[in-house]
Amino acid sequence: MEVKNKARSFLGVILIDPSLKRFLIFILVSGVIWFLPLYKVLIYVLQKKHSNLSSVDDKIYECVTNISVILTYYYLLCVTNVGGTSKRVMKNAPLLRGKCVIVTGGYKGIGLAAVTEFVKLGCEVVLACRSVEHMEFVKTDLLTRYPDAKIHCVQLDLASYKSVESCASQILSKFPKIDILVNNAGFVSQKLEYVNGLERTFFINYLGHFYLTKLLHKRIVASDTLVVNLSSIAHSMLRESDVNYNFICEKNSTKNTNSNLLYRREYNFSKLCMLYYTQQLQRRFENEKTKACTVSINPGLVRTELFRNEQSWFRALAKNLIFSKSPLQGAQTILYVCLLDREKLAKGSYYSDCKVDYVRSYALDLQKSEVHPQSRRSYAAIYAQIWLPRKQLIC
């Protein structure tokens, strides 16, 4: 299995994120600018006297000058691209024309940005989302802009086994070939909630996609599909002590959560599971000697509605985070791996900003993905063996 990711510490992973890196650079540069005598330099360059100004006025002008320079610097950082870009592989764009691309959660945020770009590239796009109304609105809007586009809508509620099965059945009956599957839909909540006996965030972000991919597995193998799983840099924020499965099953849970506004155990864990699953799924593909392959993606800090269920002030903060990416910028890595030559793709790896990136050490420890740390009970049904029937997915 071709996994080129290297492990780093928490700070090592976090500090290479372009949004956070820009934020830190902005703070440092702004601090330097604030203490520079820029106003006096400006007066000297313009050869104007300022000796008549009082010390208070002089200080005010100096502050205004420094603030103006800082705001200008901030604007320049904001208008430039954050993170990687798929432009360097756009030469392969004609190869995607006519390809069948399935995107879960494709009616808003990163998913919508990716769907729009796929439509521009001439792909046949399948929207798999919970809200039929939102999907139809997106479809109508895209068809207005791109009349020749081929766009289909299939309802998918990732928190429902029946909905996932119905979605898979419709896809299998309507589309003889699947070229790309983007498991994009996401959910986050501060509360510990359960659905079908399993933790809700884990179910939607990971297990729903897992089950959908399982049901489509034969078609994926036959089509040499590229499966793109959305993980997140949030996996690196998970405390190593929380890399366990006690809270997944409602009957085993203490109903207590370690989550708060800044630490989301359930969300972080679900994104770690996507990393585990990507590696296990690639191993499965290689054992089957198929050209189908998979990668996991970190879109970065993106201005989306992921935190729509949170308090209003926190939603505003998350959506307007300094130097966060636009949805289109967040979709660049998805587009990059889809456009990249398969021979050059690091299969089973974790991509961020259009390159193979670092992960936490426990993300490469596949034993943690298969065995319960206390009871030693195998969780391969959840993480690796995608051919198991649905009843064996339930704890």
Side-chain angles (χ1 to χ4, degrees):
M1 183 172 60
E2 185 180 10
V3 177
K4 296 182 179 179
N5 296 117
K6 295 181 180 179
R8 272 193 174 182
S9 64
F10 167 70
L11 286 177
V13 174
I14 291 295
L15 293 179
I16 59 176
D17 181 84
S19 297
L20 292 174
K21 192 187 298 182
R22 282 192 173 205
F23 176 69
L24 292 175
I25 292 174
F26 172 73
I27 295 297
L28 291 173
V29 173
S30 298
V32 172
I33 291 174
W34 183 256
F35 291 102
L36 289 177
L38 296 178
Y39 173 65
K40 293 180 180 179
V41 172
L42 183 63
I43 292 297
Y44 177 79
V45 171
L46 296 177
Q47 296 182 344
K48 292 186 177 181
K49 296 181 179 180
H50 66 289
S51 57
N52 295 330
L53 295 175
S54 66
S55 59
V56 175
D57 290 337
D58 192 59
K59 192 64 177 177
I60 291 174
Y61 280 115
E62 186 175 327
C63 289
V64 170
T65 303
N66 288 356
I67 290 172
S68 299
V69 174
I70 290 172
L71 290 176
T72 302
Y73 177 59
Y74 173 78
Y75 172 77
L76 292 174
L77 285 176
C78 287
V79 297
T80 53
N81 184 60
V82 179
T85 175
S86 60
K87 288 183 179 179
R88 64 179 183 272
V89 290
M90 285 304 291
K91 63 181 180 181
N92 296 329
L95 299 177
L96 285 187
R97 182 168 294 277
K99 300 292 186 181
C100 179
V101 181
I102 301 172
V103 182
T104 67
Y107 67 83
K108 63 173 64 174
I110 299 169
L112 176 57
V115 164
T116 304
E117 294 304 304
F118 283 131
V119 168
K120 288 181 182 178
L121 294 172
C123 299
E124 182 177 6
V125 178
V126 182
L127 291 168
C129 311
R130 183 177 59 177
S131 172
V132 175
E133 181 181 354
H134 283 108
M135 281 193 293
E136 291 297 336
F137 176 81
V138 169
K139 179 180 178 180
T140 302
D141 179 60
L142 289 174
L143 287 175
T144 302
R145 289 187 283 162
Y146 310 100
D148 297 329
K150 293 182 179 180
I151 305 171
H152 310 274
C153 298
V154 181
Q155 188 174 25
L156 171 64
D157 181 358
L158 288 164
S160 166
Y161 283 121
K162 289 184 178 179
S163 179
V164 174
E165 290 165 355
S166 174
C167 175
S169 177
Q170 292 181 63
I171 290 172
L172 292 173
S173 63
K174 294 179 181 179
F175 307 101
K177 187 176 182 181
I178 302 170
D179 295 289
I180 299 171
L181 170 62
V182 182
N183 289 322
N184 161 78
F187 170 82
V188 64
S189 175
Q190 191 177 336
K191 299 178 181 179
L192 191 61
E193 302 173 318
Y194 289 88
V195 57
N196 297 318
L198 296 171
E199 198 280 319
R200 185 180 182 85
T201 303
F202 172 84
F203 201 111
I204 294 175
N205 290 355
Y206 170 69
L207 194 61
H209 286 121
F210 169 95
Y211 191 38
L212 176 65
T213 308
K214 166 197 175 296
L215 295 173
L216 299 176
H217 183 71
K218 290 184 179 179
R219 184 65 50 85
I220 287 171
V221 170
S223 304
D224 295 335
T225 305
L226 169 62
V227 180
V228 181
N229 295 319
L230 255 74
S231 182
S232 171
I233 196 172
H235 87 273
S236 65
M237 301 177 188
L238 190 69
R239 301 188 190 108
E240 194 155 4
S241 60
D242 281 338
V243 185
N244 65 69
Y245 315 102
N246 292 328
F247 70 92
I248 290 177
C249 302
E250 186 173 16
K251 64 181 182 181
N252 297 334
S253 175
T254 60
K255 302 296 178 68
N256 294 323
T257 177
N258 295 332
S259 296
N260 52 54
L261 282 175
L262 298 178
Y263 180 71
R264 304 302 174 95
R265 180 189 65 173
E266 292 75 28
Y267 179 77
N268 299 350
F269 186 78
S270 70
K271 293 305 179 181
L272 174 64
C273 289
M274 272 300 199
L275 278 175
Y276 285 146
Y277 177 53
T278 299
Q279 296 171 69
Q280 295 279 22
L281 182 58
Q282 183 59 37
R283 178 181 291 179
R284 168 77 169 160
F285 285 150
E286 291 176 2
N287 289 339
E288 293 178 328
K289 301 188 184 305
T290 175
K291 292 183 180 179
C293 59
T294 180
V295 293
S296 55
I297 294 296
N298 167 36
L301 299 173
V302 185
R303 297 186 294 275
T304 67
E305 296 184 19
L306 180 65
F307 295 99
R308 59 187 176 275
N309 298 317
E310 302 297 332
Q311 300 173 33
S312 57
W313 68 268
F314 187 77
R315 288 201 308 270
L317 177 65
K319 203 168 183 179
N320 298 284
L321 194 64
I322 296 178
F323 308 134
S324 57
K325 298 179 181 180
S326 67
L328 179 57
Q329 290 172 335
Q332 289 301 301
T333 307
I334 297 175
L335 298 170
Y336 176 81
V337 297
C338 293
L339 288 165
L340 190 64
D341 293 332
R342 288 287 180 92
E343 295 76 17
K344 297 179 180 179
L345 190 68
K347 302 173 182 66
S349 294
Y350 169 77
Y351 276 82
S352 179
D353 297 308
C354 303
K355 65 182 185 301
V356 177
D357 213 343
Y358 291 93
V359 296
R360 291 294 297 275
S361 57
Y362 50 68
L364 299 177
D365 184 358
L366 294 188
Q367 285 189 342
K368 290 183 181 293
S369 75
E370 296 176 347
V371 180
H372 191 288
Q374 294 179 357
S375 67
R376 310 299 292 176
R377 174 185 171 186
S378 174
Y379 273 79
I382 295 179
Y383 295 102
Q385 300 175 18
I386 61 176
W387 59 90
L388 288 178
R390 163 181 152 183
K391 64 181 180 180
Q392 290 180 259
L393 293 175
I394 305 174
C395 296

